[in-house]
Amino acid sequence: MAKSKAWNYEEKVTKVEVIIEQIESGRLDLSEVFNQFTTATNHLQECKDFLDRQQKQMNLILETLEDSSDEDF
């Protein structure tokens, strides 16, 4: 069985950039523009979700550090 590739933020952003370039080029027919737009918005939502999770994790780490430094005094 093939090993699935891990999700990668930078790859998703690159895919969105490529889609934007394709749409802006004017070479796609209208139905393909809508398909690509849907794909891009899905990628962007995945990126937003990823960043939200990372922000929550960072906030938790910062809270832990602040609590630790408060206990030192």
Side-chain angles (χ1 to χ4, degrees):
M1 183 164 31
K3 190 176 183 180
S4 64
K5 190 174 181 183
W7 189 88
N8 184 285
Y9 177 85
E10 289 79 9
E11 286 180 16
K12 293 293 182 177
V13 170
T14 300
K15 287 181 180 184
V16 170
E17 290 171 344
V18 168
I19 290 170
I20 291 169
E21 289 173 7
Q22 289 174 343
I23 291 172
E24 289 178 341
S25 75
R27 293 182 300 233
L28 301 176
D29 61 33
L30 190 55
S31 64
E32 188 60 23
V33 168
F34 287 120
N35 289 337
Q36 291 297 320
F37 181 79
T38 300
T39 300
T41 56
N42 289 337
H43 289 329
L44 290 172
Q45 185 62 51
E46 289 176 21
C47 290
K48 181 186 178 306
D49 293 344
F50 170 79
L51 292 173
D52 288 345
R53 285 190 307 274
Q54 298 309 308
Q55 182 65 50
K56 287 177 184 176
Q57 186 175 8
M58 293 303 297
N59 289 343
L60 182 60
I61 291 169
L62 291 173
E63 285 178 26
T64 303
L65 288 172
E66 288 172 358
D67 290 345
S68 293
S69 67
D70 287 345
E71 292 173 3
D72 291 341
F73 292 106

